[in-house]
């Protein structure tokens, strides 16, 4: 059972905007930065968003993140077939003194 | 460019031991905290261990505490994970990643090494 809660699946059509939710508590999302990772099939996770809404160099601005209270969200606009992947959220947890992850959301591009 | 390469995975019997290593290049290793994260087959990501840049602070997930130990050698640019008393539920791909503290995100990941615990 993951500490952060993510819906197991999401879907969209090319060009559409999709959003992913990530729910936590005061000890993790509520008091620390949230990161998002994209994991393409058979590959290692790749950092997509850090510090709630910052994009690393090379990540398209189609990807955006936000945080409010104990929840965070990731949005992808202008959906493309190559966006089909698993998306994971993460945050430091003050009670556990370690990172906590969501279970991941599998995105299907129809 | 930043590179992290894990090694040491394989098949081990329940109760056995394994030592994973992560060789890094492309950045000043001693400036960065490091972490190990694992992913069981078909499952989500699970944080395993964290170590500060100097090696003076480390922490482990409750699920591995007392059985798994993280360490680093800043002179050799190497991060290790000593795994003892392995259980079937430790079967996973193990990734090393740069960062992982309150202020440093997990910004670079290795390709992972598979650990299979089975008789």
């Amino acid at each position: 059972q993951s500490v952060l809660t993510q819906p197991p699946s999401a879907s969209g059509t090319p060009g559409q905007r999709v959003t992913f939710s990530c729910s936590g508590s005061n000890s993790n999302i509520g008091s620390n930065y949230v990161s998002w990772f994209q994991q393409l099939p058979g590959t290692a996770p790749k950092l997509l968003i850090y510090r709630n809404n910052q994009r690393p160099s090379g990540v398209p601005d189609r990807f955006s993140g936000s945080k409010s209270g104990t929840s965070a969200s990731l949005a992808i606009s202008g959906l493309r077939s190559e966006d089909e992947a698993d998306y994971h959220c993460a945050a430091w947890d003050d009670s556990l003194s370690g990172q906590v992850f969501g279970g991941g959301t599998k995105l299907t591009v129809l | 460019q930043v590179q992290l390469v894990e090694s040491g995975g394989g098949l081990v019997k329940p109760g056995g031991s394994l030592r994973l290593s992560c060789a890094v290049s492309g950045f000043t290793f001693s400036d960065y905290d490091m972490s190990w994260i694992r992913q069981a087959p078909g499952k989500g990501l699970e944080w395993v261990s964290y170590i500060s840049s100097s090696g003076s602070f480390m922490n482990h997930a409750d699920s591995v505490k007392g059985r798994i130990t993280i360490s680093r050698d800043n002179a050799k640019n190497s991060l290790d994970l000593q795994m003892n008393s392995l259980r079937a539920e430790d079967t996973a791909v193990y990734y090393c990643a740069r960062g992982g503290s309150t202020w440093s995100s997990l910004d670079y990941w290795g390709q992972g090494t598979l650990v299979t615990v089975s008789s």
Side-chain angles (χ1 to χ4, degrees):
Chain A
Q1 202 78 339
S2 301
V3 174
L4 305 182
T5 301
Q6 295 183 254
S9 63
S11 63
T13 55
Q16 204 173 22
R17 182 176 188 271
V18 294
T19 60
F20 307 87
S21 63
C22 176
S23 177
S25 66
N26 288 328
S27 65
N28 42 66
I29 293 179
S31 51
N32 293 292
Y33 291 122
V34 176
S35 298
W36 289 89
F37 303 91
Q38 178 192 58
Q39 187 174 28
L40 297 170
T43 69
K46 168 193 164 187
L47 181 65
L48 211 54
I49 296 288
Y50 67 100
R51 293 194 176 185
N52 304 332
N53 55 19
Q54 301 299 302
R55 285 186 308 277
S57 173
V59 173
D61 60 6
R62 301 188 296 110
F63 296 90
S64 61
S66 63
K67 186 184 102 166
S68 178
T70 59
S71 294
S73 63
L74 171 72
I76 308 176
S77 59
L79 197 62
R80 299 182 179 182
S81 57
E82 57 261 39
D83 297 333
E84 191 161 282
D86 293 328
Y87 291 85
H88 308 269
C89 60
W92 180 267
D93 190 292
D94 292 332
S95 300
L96 300 174
S97 291
Q99 291 283 330
V100 290
F101 289 90
T105 298
K106 183 176 183 63
L107 172 65
T108 301
V109 180
L110 303 170
Chain B
Q1 72 278 23
V2 173
Q3 282 194 313
L4 297 88
V5 180
E6 302 93 337
S7 61
L11 175 63
V12 60
K13 289 182 167 53
S17 297
L18 214 54
R19 189 176 185 89
L20 306 183
S21 292
C22 175
V24 311
S25 60
F27 65 99
T28 304
F29 182 59
S30 58
D31 286 347
Y32 288 87
D33 304 330
M34 298 293 294
S35 301
W36 285 96
I37 297 97
R38 69 184 181 184
Q39 186 171 34
K43 302 294 185 182
L45 301 170
E46 179 189 15
W47 169 75
V48 176
S49 298
Y50 159 87
I51 188 166
S52 62
S53 57
S54 66
S56 60
F57 177 78
M58 61 198 76
N59 197 21
H60 302 83
D62 288 343
S63 57
V64 305
K65 208 164 277 187
R67 302 186 298 116
I68 290 180
T69 304
I70 191 172
S71 62
R72 65 189 296 160
D73 186 334
N74 285 345
K76 294 182 179 178
N77 283 2
S78 178
L79 176 75
D80 289 339
L81 193 70
Q82 178 64 44
M83 308 167 69
N84 301 325
S85 303
L86 284 163
R87 307 166 180 168
E89 54 265 35
D90 295 318
T91 294
V93 174
Y94 285 73
Y95 298 100
C96 67
R98 191 176 80 169
S101 65
T102 53
W103 54 86
S104 62
S105 55
L106 296 158
D107 58 358
Y108 286 94
W109 297 58
Q111 84 289 349
T113 187
L114 176 62
V115 172
T116 303
V117 184
S118 174
S119 54

